[in-house]
Amino acid sequence: MRLRGAKALSNADLLAILLGSGTGGRSVIDVAQELMVSAGGRLSLLGVMPLEKLVSHKGVGEARAITIAAALELGRRALEEQVLVDKRAITSPEMVYQLMLPQLKNLDHEECWVLYLNRSNFLIGREMISSGTLESTPIDAARILRKAIEKQSSYIILVHNHPSGSPLPGQADIYQTNVLRRALSVVEIRLSDHVVIADDSFYSFSEERIGKAK
């Protein structure tokens, strides 16, 4: 890394640096490559892999598993910070999809997130409101309302994922969206959109259409 720079290294090479050394006659590169294979070659899948599964690989004890999980979480947080300083107005469901896909892709459960926007549609904050099961997650309208007021938001965008692969909203999604929209309207905050994300597609409530990944 010192001679060639981090960008010249493969994902397995970078992972090997975190691991530090091999074990039982296997090089650290062998261990790192095996981990990447188990995640289908994708860091996004490695990042959501349970610690128990990481530890099950020979040469990856608990301390190393925690180091890997911490490094990938730092990467996600760095991306979130960059998003918050990127002064672009969020003006389409496609932008919401691209913004939130790294956070929601490959999850085995539903999560509900809120994007808080100012009057110019610039992102001033985002946070996960709830985490649920494979098929549902609650939308806490009271909590979202309180947070939106605290952040002095003019608009918010609701985002959640469908691990099933279909972005089409269910009846519960439609009902909870309407409840939230009415609650926000009381304090003159607008629900700009509710975007449901699947891995390669999304559904926009505001545009009532399915979009595909580009």
Side-chain angles (χ1 to χ4, degrees):
M1 179 185 281
R2 186 177 69 248
L3 294 175
R4 299 168 57 198
K7 290 185 177 180
L9 303 184
S10 69
N11 289 341
D13 292 335
L14 294 170
L15 192 56
I17 292 173
L18 292 175
L19 293 171
S21 63
T23 184
R26 303 174 69 228
S27 72
V28 67
I29 289 293
D30 290 336
V31 177
Q33 288 176 338
E34 180 183 297
L35 275 171
M36 290 305 304
V37 168
S38 71
R42 298 162 67 181
L43 289 174
S44 58
L45 288 179
L46 189 64
V48 297
M49 189 176 291
L51 289 177
E52 294 78 11
K53 187 172 181 180
L54 286 172
V55 171
S56 70
H57 291 274
K58 187 176 180 181
V60 183
E62 184 178 42
R64 288 181 172 183
I66 290 173
T67 297
I68 293 168
L72 292 170
E73 177 61 24
L74 282 172
R76 279 194 292 268
R77 294 185 185 188
L79 180 61
E80 289 181 2
E81 287 182 1
Q82 181 59 42
V83 166
L84 290 175
V85 299
D86 184 3
K87 294 301 184 181
R88 290 182 301 165
I90 296 180
T91 57
S92 70
E94 287 88 354
M95 293 181 71
V96 175
Y97 171 77
Q98 295 297 336
L99 171 65
M100 292 302 300
L101 185 63
Q103 192 69 48
L104 297 173
K105 190 177 179 64
N106 300 315
L107 295 181
D108 60 0
H109 61 279
E110 290 194 9
E111 290 185 358
C112 179
W113 287 70
V114 176
L115 308 182
Y116 301 97
L117 311 177
N118 65 15
R119 65 179 59 192
S120 298
N121 285 310
F122 288 163
L123 185 67
I124 57 176
R126 69 173 178 175
E127 66 179 330
M128 184 176 70
I129 291 296
S130 62
S131 178
T133 66
L134 175 64
E135 297 180 347
S136 66
T137 188
I139 296 175
D140 189 339
R143 181 180 176 188
I144 294 172
L145 180 62
R146 184 173 67 254
K147 292 286 188 177
I149 293 172
E150 289 175 359
K151 295 178 182 295
Q152 298 183 334
S153 302
S154 296
Y155 311 100
I156 73 164
I157 297 174
L158 194 65
V159 188
H160 84 278
N161 64 308
H162 276 181
S164 66
S166 171
L168 285 172
Q171 289 301 313
D173 296 331
I174 296 170
Y175 172 77
Q176 292 187 91
T177 301
N178 289 332
V179 169
L180 178 60
R181 181 179 288 111
R182 289 194 296 268
L184 290 167
S185 68
V186 172
V187 292
E188 298 183 341
I189 297 174
R190 179 183 172 190
L191 178 63
S192 295
D193 202 351
H194 179 180
V195 178
V196 184
I197 292 179
D199 282 352
D200 60 354
S201 59
F202 61 88
Y203 179 87
S204 165
F205 273 72
S206 68
E207 298 186 358
E208 296 185 342
R209 69 178 180 90
I210 293 177
K212 296 292 184 180
K214 297 179 180 180

